[in-house]
Amino acid sequence: MSTSLTQLPPAEKYRAIASGFTATVEGVTDWDAPTPVAEWRARDVVDHLVTWLPAMIHGGSTFRFEEGPSADRDPVGAWTHLDNQLHALFGDPAADRHLHSNPHTGSDRPLPGVIDEFFTGDVFFHTWDLARSSWQDDRLDPGMVHDAYAGMSAMEEYLRPTGQFGQQQPVPADATEQEKLFAFLGRDPRWTPPQA
């Protein structure tokens, strides 16, 4: 029986999820293609990930990510640059010495745990956005989908007002749990790019 991503230690979970996102990034042929997030092009999915995490970490820690290529000009390079640094951080036996403090995440928390809690799942969700945008396989780990949907649904009253995702979208009668998750997150779960 395979282990769900949710059961993996943070470093292994990140490696597995980032590997899936990297494969999707490498499969994109049109970086200006629309995505399930109406205001984003494909390259904007990468830009979102490579900009918000460094901004959050730099705002609450002495740890610094090295600035990489712009996702607008080089989305593959931008993602690879950040991903390599995250692999190095997770692989550092002394990584827990880097502490992060933020009113929303808590005080003096080891950086790997903060990244695991706030960033790794975001990479997981946005793998779907980029896969749908580029006509790639969008199937995600069912165990992590289940845990994310169950956990977020139970906290909807608290989470929805944060504005971190859109309004609940209609759910088809025969929807899969993955489709229910993305409808919850504000996506049309059966969105496809307009035909050229």
Side-chain angles (χ1 to χ4, degrees), residues 26 57 118 157 159:
E26 292 172 349
I57 297 305
F118 294 96
E157 185 178 352
L159 291 174

Side-chain angles (χ1 to χ4, degrees), residues 1 5 9 17 21 23 25-26 43 47 61 63 68 84 92 107 112 139 147 149 160 173 186 189-190:
M1 185 174 176
L5 292 179
I17 289 173
F21 187 75
V25 164
E26 292 172 349
R43 71 181 68 246
D47 183 68
S61 174
F63 181 86
N84 286 341
D92 180 357
S107 297
R139 290 172 295 177
D147 287 356
Y149 181 57
R160 190 72 65 187
R190 294 186 179 175

Side-chain angles (χ1 to χ4, degrees), residues 130-143:
L130 200 56
R132 297 294 290 188
S133 172
S134 51
W135 298 96
Q136 298 186 66
D137 185 353
D138 69 348
R139 290 172 295 177
L140 301 177
D141 178 77

